Structures are given as C-alpha cells and as structure tokens.
C-alpha cells in the first residue's frame, strides 16, 4: 500500500474487517465511528486511539505528548461536523452552519510544526572540499 493513499481497514461490529477508502483523509476520519446508530462503529474510545489513528498512513503523525480527553472530545466533534457537512454536500442540501463553524474553528488553529525524531542525525555545515576543488555546501543549503 502506498503511504500517501487514503483509506483504512474498518471493523464491522459483527467481527468482520474490510478496506474502505472514502477518497480523502477527512472523510476516512468521519468513518471512525459516530453518534446514535453509528456508535457501534466507534473506534476512538480513548485518547490513545486518536493518537493511533493519526499515526497511520497517510498522516503518520506521531504525537510528542499523549493525546488528552479534551482533544479526543474535540476530534469527535470535528468528525461529526465533517460527517454532517459531507452528507449535506452529497445530497445537494445547504451546508449546516454549525458544522461549518466547527470545521473553520479547527482549521483556524495554529499549524502543526513538523519535527524530526530524536534519533535523527543532522548534517552539520560540512563542505565538500578536496585538493584543487572549490568548496560547495551540502545540497539543499
């Protein structure tokens, strides 16, 4: 499987599993469970479940601090907003204002800052030099 592909393995409440690709990560996220009749499909039971979902391809986001109950609640609220908005769009209905507001608030937060794992090695400012050669910086500098 490509790491930039969308889609996930979903688990049926009756015990079966199947591959489902909604075509976008946000829609894959919307299929992690839900409220009411969709509660039987819930996969985000505790904060660690959210961290695990984020760590899977294509996101492969590794949290540097454990997810909190508050973040799990916010994620579930966002998931419901994505679900409601996607279904309204698919049905040709006006987008639900409250759901759009939830999505916009989540999107307005500060962007995540990528970082290298602590075991990654950095190249220092070494230069490629040798007798009779001009020194050049490492590529990408």
């Amino acid at each position: 499987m490509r790491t930039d592909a969308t889609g996930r393995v979903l688990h049926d409440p009756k015990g079966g599993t199947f591959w489902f690709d909604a075509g976008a990560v946000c829609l894959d996220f919307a299929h992690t469970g839900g409220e009411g009749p969709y509660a039987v499909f819930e996969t985000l039971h505790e904060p660690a479940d959210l961290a695990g979902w984020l760590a899977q391809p294509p996101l492969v986001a590794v949290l540097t601090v454990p997810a909190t109950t508050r973040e799990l609640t916010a994620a579930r609220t966002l998931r419901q907003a994505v679900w409601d908005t996607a279904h309204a769009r698919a049905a040709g209905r006006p987008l639900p204002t409250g759901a759009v507001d939830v999505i916009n608030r989540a999107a307005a937060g500060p962007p995540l800052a990528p970082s290298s794992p602590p075991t990654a090695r950095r190249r220092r400012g070494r230069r490629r030099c040798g007798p009779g050669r001009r020194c050049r910086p490492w590529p990408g500098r």
Side-chain angles (χ1 to χ4, degrees):
M1 176 178 84
R2 294 183 2 226
T3 58
D4 62 342
T6 59
R8 304 286 173 129
V9 173
L10 297 183
H11 303 277
D12 184 282
K14 296 176 184 172
T17 61
F18 59 95
W19 179 259
F20 178 77
D21 186 348
V25 175
C26 64
L27 297 178
D28 290 339
F29 183 64
H31 286 86
T32 61
E35 301 171 7
Y38 302 104
V40 297
F41 299 103
E42 186 61 64
T43 60
L44 305 178
H45 301 283
E46 55 190 54
D49 297 332
L50 175 61
W53 192 91
L54 293 169
Q56 295 176 26
L59 296 177
V60 195
V62 178
L63 302 181
T64 56
V65 294
T68 65
T69 302
R70 182 177 177 189
E71 290 165 332
L72 176 60
T73 300
R76 286 178 173 171
T77 300
L78 177 60
R79 174 183 67 191
Q80 189 63 45
V82 170
W83 179 269
D84 294 343
T85 303
H87 278 262
R89 173 65 71 200
R93 296 188 315 262
L95 301 181
T97 306
V100 171
D101 289 344
V102 167
I103 294 168
N104 285 338
R105 274 194 305 277
L112 299 177
S115 64
S116 297
T119 58
R121 292 175 48 186
R122 260 184 86 199
R123 289 186 182 174
R124 300 273 181 222
R126 291 182 278 158
R127 300 168 67 82
R128 296 180 186 177
C129 298
R133 294 185 187 164
R134 284 184 15 193
C135 294
R136 299 179 308 206
W138 283 99
R141 294 218 175 232

